[in-house]
Amino acid sequence: MEFLVASSIGLLTMCGTYMLLRGRTFPVVIGLALLSYAVNVFLFAMGRLTIDMPPILRDGVTEYTDPLPQALVLTAIVISFGMTALIVVLSIRAYLEIGNDHVDGRPVGEPSEAGDKN
Amino acid sequence: MGHWIVVPIVLPAVMAALIVLAVRHDIVLQRIFSITSTVALVAVTLSLVIFANNNNPEMYALGDWPAPFGIVIVLDRLSAMMIFLTSILGLGVILFASSEWDKRGQHFHALFQFQLMGVNGAFLTGDVFNLFVFFEVLLIASYGLMLHGAGAERLKAGMQYIVINLTGSTLFLVGVGMIYAVTGTLNMADLAIQVPQVAAGDAALLRAGALILLLVFCVKAALVPVHFWLPGTYANAPAPVAALFAIMTKVGAYSILRVYSLGFGENAGDMAWLAQPYILPAAIVTLAIGMIGVLAAKRLNGLIAFSVIGSMGTLLISIALFTPESISAGLYYLLHSTFAGAALFLVGDLVASRRGAIYGDKLETAPVFHQSGLLAVLFFVAAIAMAGMPPLSGFIGKLMILDAARDSDLSVWIWSVILVTSLMCIVGFGRAGSVLFWKSASAEGVIEVEGATWPVLPIVAACGMLCALVALTVFAAPIMDYLQGTAAQLFDTTDYIRAVLGEIPATQPGQ
């Protein structure tokens, strides 16, 4: 199970980083989403991987899973969800206003000075 | 101090909600609410500073859950000073924005209050994950403010700003996760106890986590090589927002100072002063690159943005030395550079708005514009401050930093880079000032811009920032007394830990 979780985090991070480095906003948004998935699973694994244990700590209970990372992941999910929504709206707005979906505001292939005139 | 400690977070949060829900259609009421709230914030934070000056650090447990299980906020000399700085800067910015800027888009005042809440929270919190949450609060508000009254250029810069900060947030979580996995705690005071006890086999993991966290703070503090988002963002943000962002880079510097002096400071065993060897060279390069940018800038806002990068370099040089003298000098420079950067952005906007749409903030010769005499004086004073020339506080700050760097291994580098870049900064601002104000005599005519009469509030706000610089200079001695106490408190962490955890618990093995 450790191998499965670790390799999936690695794969998600790899794909996310690649997409993040693309020049257009849509792959960048997908890349950010993949990275946030990877980091959520990573945070979850930081409380150690256990199966079928309650996330409760009380007297007499010796076998439990760490509840704190679950709370952290929940917060992280909420925040990254909101951020993804924001950046989707912003990309659409930028596309409508600038006229293309390149993160530098210029079509691929044009020289760099072209975007800086206004 | 009881519940007063939490007021700097709760008051702006309540005000922001009130502004959005109750008065969103009335700009005048919004201004009244927003300004009243910020004035109250100044009063509260001032009393907190006075309290912190006379007392040991004090903890406030949110929901009354004891540390390290619940989230705590901690008031000590450093955090009190930072929230006071934030509210003074906030007051200046809100006065500036209340004449005209806030009408260019929606919800300026609500976003502004949320921004203050996030910044104050980041300064007060005693928990690393909670620091992440407040970072997100202040970033979300800053995205909205950055895009206020959008346009194509601003949207482009805003998009890049948001992407880099979202990536930074992801890295923050990775770092926090690794630290939690090894130490089993995220409370900063508890970290200070757990870090020295980490088993040797886990030390590398903890070190990696702490350095990933450092990278995130460096992104916020605009340290080379992760500074590239700043010029575009600051130069394209609305002027009052850029002035408010002067505090945002300081949030990064504050986090470095807090986490790496408390958790990874003197008592951290193998991890002692973990951050130092990485920050110091990067800070020297940051200062050089910032001031080269000042020389090369083609627009006034870009010039100011690069001078902000340069001042962050100077600030982080002195923080990275991690001695009591250098940290108190660095904190003085922090106060100074916040006001100097903000004043420059405000004056720059007044200049650009009077030069009309054609010239704007471009550093090109243009005909004379209205009130160029007054604005020239304001620009001159702010530029003197930023360049660190006598008689203003920048000079005192740089002098103390140079003095504190005397014993460092890199002292030759620090001295030469600070001195040479000061000259470059003087040349850069001198060139900009002569193009903007003197050479206009050689061009024909006068630029007429509609509405560019005597806007009282913006000029008062810009003068207020400059008065703060003068006050820093005049009251340098009492302020330095406070800051030396602050540095001493940062080095002797027992009071902080005792305030959060009660009596320091007996040594337990790491998890």
Side-chain angles (χ1 to χ4, degrees):
Chain A
M1 185 158 117
E2 278 82 0
F3 178 76
L4 182 67
V5 173
S7 56
S8 62
I9 294 173
L11 197 66
L12 279 171
T13 313
M14 189 180 78
C15 298
T17 312
Y18 176 75
M19 299 290 263
L20 189 65
L21 296 173
R22 308 289 294 171
R24 292 179 178 276
T25 49
F26 182 71
V28 169
V29 173
I30 299 289
L32 282 170
L34 287 179
L35 271 184
S36 72
Y37 296 156
V39 83
N40 287 345
V41 182
F42 178 81
L43 265 187
F44 194 73
M46 285 301 108
R48 307 293 184 269
L49 294 169
T50 46
I51 296 174
D52 285 347
M53 299 289 173
I56 299 166
L57 184 57
R58 63 162 78 127
D59 292 337
V61 175
T62 52
E63 299 286 311
Y64 61 93
T65 178
D66 193 342
L68 195 87
Q70 307 193 359
L72 301 187
V73 170
L74 197 61
T75 316
I77 289 174
V78 173
I79 290 177
S80 63
F81 184 72
M83 290 300 181
T84 310
L86 176 88
I87 198 159
V88 166
V89 172
L90 184 70
S91 338
I92 295 171
R93 178 80 192 275
Y95 173 68
L96 294 176
E97 195 121 346
I98 302 171
N100 68 69
D101 65 345
H102 197 273
V103 283
D104 283 336
R106 62 169 182 271
V108 182
E110 274 191 31
S112 61
E113 282 301 304
D116 301 332
K117 275 189 181 154
N118 41 350
Chain B
M1 247 353 232
H3 293 289
W4 285 103
I5 298 176
V6 83
V7 168
I9 302 174
V10 173
L11 179 69
V14 172
M15 272 300 168
L18 206 65
I19 290 170
V20 169
L21 295 175
V23 295
R24 69 172 174 276
H25 299 302
D26 191 336
I27 190 78
V28 178
L29 274 180
Q30 283 186 23
R31 285 172 186 167
I32 293 172
F33 273 63
S34 196
I35 293 174
T36 313
S37 156
T38 318
V39 169
L41 211 56
V42 171
V44 171
T45 49
L46 177 63
S47 59
L48 288 176
V49 167
I50 295 168
F51 175 81
N53 191 24
N54 299 322
N55 292 279
N56 282 328
E58 193 166 312
M59 183 250 319
Y60 182 85
L62 293 167
D64 216 15
W65 287 89
F69 305 107
I71 288 169
V72 295
I73 57 177
V74 186
L75 180 84
D76 69 348
R77 296 172 77 103
L78 179 60
S79 52
M81 179 189 95
M82 295 306 291
I83 53 175
F84 183 52
L85 173 68
T86 309
S87 46
I88 299 252
L89 179 73
L91 185 61
V93 169
I94 201 76
L95 287 177
F96 187 91
S98 285
S99 78
E100 189 260 334
W101 263 104
D102 57 356
K103 283 188 284 194
R104 297 192 192 177
Q106 285 189 313
H107 303 308
F108 180 88
H109 291 283
L111 286 167
F112 181 84
Q113 294 295 327
F114 274 128
Q115 173 91 57
L116 287 186
M117 172 206 171
V119 175
N120 284 342
F123 286 142
L124 281 170
T125 185
D127 183 284
V128 183
F129 193 78
N130 200 225
L131 183 65
F132 165 76
V133 174
F134 278 119
F135 264 44
E136 291 305 309
V137 172
L138 74 89
L139 284 174
I140 295 169
S142 78
Y143 301 154
L145 287 174
M146 159 83 207
L147 296 168
H148 180 75
E153 274 299 295
R154 193 168 291 157
L155 274 171
K156 192 181 95 182
M159 183 81 193
Q160 293 164 356
Y161 172 67
I162 293 176
V163 169
I164 182 101
N165 274 302
L166 287 183
T167 317
S169 305
T170 315
L171 280 177
F172 198 137
L173 285 174
V174 173
V176 162
M178 287 167 91
I179 291 176
Y180 179 76
V182 177
T183 60
T185 184
L186 287 174
N187 182 292
M188 290 190 211
D190 202 23
L191 264 183
I193 296 174
Q194 301 292 344
V195 165
Q197 299 170 18
V198 164
D202 289 338
L205 202 55
L206 180 59
R207 192 180 285 265
L211 289 177
I212 287 179
L213 212 53
L214 179 67
L215 181 66
V216 181
F217 296 151
C218 289
V219 172
K220 307 281 181 246
L223 202 65
V224 170
V226 281
H227 66 291
F228 44 81
W229 60 273
L230 191 142
T233 307
Y234 280 38
N236 289 304
V241 175
L244 183 66
F245 280 9
I247 197 74
M248 299 265 285
T249 44
K250 274 68 180 182
V251 177
Y254 165 86
S255 309
I256 292 174
L257 188 55
R258 173 68 81 204
V259 173
Y260 296 93
S261 72
L262 189 59
F264 302 91
E266 210 159 31
N267 305 319
D270 289 345
M271 312 270 177
W273 305 123
L274 183 66
Q276 185 175 23
Y278 303 94
I279 304 180
L280 191 52
I284 296 175
V285 179
T286 308
L287 174 56
I289 286 189
M291 292 311 172
I292 291 170
V294 167
L295 282 185
K298 289 179 184 161
R299 290 173 54 192
L300 182 58
N301 282 340
L303 178 117
I304 302 170
F306 272 106
S307 74
V308 168
I309 292 189
S311 72
M312 283 312 291
T314 315
L315 168 59
L316 284 163
I317 285 175
S318 65
I319 286 182
L321 292 170
F322 282 118
T323 64
E325 296 78 31
S326 77
I327 286 184
S328 52
L331 289 174
Y332 184 84
Y333 193 77
L334 183 152
L335 297 173
H336 154 79
S337 63
T338 307
F339 288 125
L344 277 172
F345 275 117
L346 297 185
V347 175
D349 179 59
L350 290 173
V351 172
S353 64
R354 269 152 198 70
R355 280 162 54 101
I358 302 167
Y359 295 105
D361 67 340
K362 285 182 202 139
L363 291 176
E364 292 167 5
T365 312
V368 181
F369 53 93
H370 287 291
Q371 294 142 21
S372 63
L374 172 74
L375 291 177
V377 171
L378 294 181
F379 182 82
F380 183 60
V381 175
I384 282 181
M386 184 49 101
M389 285 202 292
L392 283 177
S393 47
F395 175 71
I396 305 177
K398 276 191 181 169
L399 199 63
M400 287 190 298
I401 290 172
L402 288 176
D403 192 40
R406 210 181 286 251
D407 296 330
S408 162
D409 296 336
L410 291 174
S411 58
V412 178
W413 282 100
I414 296 172
W415 274 64
S416 49
V417 171
I418 288 185
L419 292 175
V420 171
T421 52
S422 297
L423 179 66
M424 289 159 76
C425 189
I426 295 168
V427 172
F429 275 101
R431 187 187 58 115
S434 59
V435 168
L436 288 174
F437 301 107
W438 278 352
K439 289 193 183 162
S440 52
S442 62
E444 294 283 316
V446 175
I447 303 180
E448 294 291 345
V449 181
E450 216 174 307
T453 47
W454 281 94
V456 179
L457 278 181
I459 291 179
V460 166
C463 290
M465 292 290 131
L466 296 176
C467 289
L469 287 169
V470 174
L472 268 181
T473 318
V474 174
F475 299 107
I479 291 173
M480 273 316 286
D481 279 347
Y482 183 87
L483 294 178
Q484 275 155 3
T486 310
Q489 209 172 49
L490 283 172
F491 273 79
D492 184 14
T493 50
T494 43
D495 281 341
Y496 187 98
I497 297 171
R498 191 177 295 131
V500 176
L501 297 176
E503 281 314 302
I504 295 176
T507 310
Q508 303 155 344
Q511 69 169 30

